[in-house]
Amino acid sequence: MNLFRSEEHAKRWDGYDEAMAGALKPVAEWADIFSNPFFRQRGRSDYITWTRSGDGAAAFKLLRSQLPRPTEEPT
């Protein structure tokens, strides 16, 4: 993950990809995403089993709803 002062700085980066513009989020939003139980529960001895449980599936569904999606390329 790269951290930039602003969207303008990110867009000037030579590795910038317009398809990932939706991933430009404030650090607070990324912190919220990574505080999801899907990440926080990784230390459990039964983590794989937990991911397949109702709680794990709900955490993953929430995580997927929070993640940015690449923008579509015009055809």
Side-chain angles (χ1 to χ4, degrees):
M1 178 185 297
N2 291 307
L3 300 176
F4 296 94
R5 273 190 295 190
S6 67
E7 188 174 334
E8 292 77 26
H9 282 94
K11 288 182 177 183
R12 284 192 297 231
W13 177 48
D14 63 350
Y16 180 74
D17 181 356
E18 186 65 38
M20 290 306 295
L24 292 175
K25 294 182 176 288
V27 171
E29 286 186 42
W30 281 112
D32 187 44
I33 289 169
F34 283 105
S35 70
N36 180 292
F38 206 77
F39 292 104
R40 288 191 329 230
Q41 298 296 328
R42 288 183 291 182
R44 295 173 63 125
S45 61
D46 65 341
Y47 178 71
I48 300 298
T49 302
W50 177 83
T51 62
R52 296 177 180 156
S53 72
D55 289 343
F60 188 69
K61 183 177 180 180
L62 175 62
L63 175 62
R64 296 280 301 180
S65 73
Q66 293 176 312
L67 291 176
R69 304 219 190 280
T71 55
E72 298 270 334
E73 292 286 323
T75 55

